[in-house]
Amino acid sequence: YNGCLKCLPKLFILLERNDIRQIGICLPSCPVGYFGVRNPEMNKCTKCKIDNCEACFSRNFCTKCKEALYLHKGRCYSSCPEGFAALNGTVECSSVVQCELGEWGSWGPCTKKGKLCGFKKGTQNRTRESLQPPLAEPSLCPPETENRT
C-alpha cells in the first residue's frame, strides 16, 4: 500500500507524496532535482534545496540551473558575478582571465628577405607559447611573437 519501506543496499529510496500519502520507490539513482545520500541503514534521495536549481550534487551545491540562469560555484544567478562571464554559449560562469603566455624563447637567426647571415640590417624574431588560450577577445592578449633589428 505504501510502496517500498526499505531498498536493497545499492538502491536509493525516493519518497513521493500523493496528497497526505507517501509512497516509497527503490531506484538505482536519484531523479533530477534530487541527490543521493548513502547511509549504512538505507540510501535516500533528498530534494535539492537551492533556489532555481534543476540538478544538484549535495544539499547546497547545484550542478545545473533552471533555464535562463547561470551557474557559479554551485549557485544559480540571473547574470554572472563581476569578473566572470558565460563563455562559448555555456550557462556556467568562468573567470574572464586574460590569456596566459609562457616565457620568451631565444632569438632566432638574423635574416633579411628570408635569407640568413651576413646582413647589417636584418631582423631576428622570437616566440612564446600560449599557456591558457584567451577566454574573451583575443586582441586583448599580449603578442606571441616579437621582432628586433
Side-chain angles (χ1 to χ4, degrees):
Y1 180 74
N2 286 333
C4 298
L5 300 175
K6 192 168 182 176
C7 298
L8 293 172
K10 291 185 179 184
L11 299 176
F12 292 92
I13 190 162
L14 172 67
L15 297 176
E16 286 188 337
R17 283 210 180 274
N18 187 353
D19 292 327
I20 60 166
R21 191 171 146 214
Q22 264 189 343
I23 298 171
I25 302 169
C26 294
L27 301 167
S29 63
C30 295
V32 172
Y34 291 81
F35 65 96
V37 178
R38 293 191 182 275
N39 285 319
E41 303 86 47
M42 187 172 14
N43 302 326
K44 295 180 181 179
C45 289
T46 306
K47 192 162 184 60
C48 296
K49 302 283 186 193
I50 304 159
D51 291 339
N52 300 311
C53 184
E54 196 171 288
C56 60
F57 173 74
S58 66
R59 182 176 301 280
N60 54 12
F61 194 90
C62 188
T63 55
K64 184 180 180 190
C65 296
K66 290 182 179 174
E67 199 172 328
L69 295 174
Y70 298 94
L71 181 65
H72 179 66
K73 294 185 178 180
R75 297 266 183 241
C76 300
Y77 299 92
S78 56
S79 63
C80 291
E82 192 174 324
F84 295 86
L87 304 166
N88 302 329
T90 66
V91 289
E92 195 166 333
C93 300
S94 300
S95 176
V96 188
V97 173
Q98 292 304 318
C99 45
E100 190 177 327
L101 301 173
E103 295 295 317
W104 285 108
S106 49
W107 288 102
C110 186
T111 62
K112 187 172 185 179
K113 295 182 182 178
K115 296 187 181 182
L116 296 174
C117 79
F119 301 105
K120 288 184 178 182
K121 294 198 177 185
T123 58
Q124 291 179 292
N125 66 25
R126 65 181 181 172
T127 60
R128 56 184 171 177
E129 236 180 278
S130 175
L131 302 176
Q132 179 176 333
L135 296 175
E137 183 61 41
S139 63
L140 299 175
C141 295
E144 291 182 26
T145 60
E146 189 176 56
N147 297 319
R148 75 176 180 186
T149 350

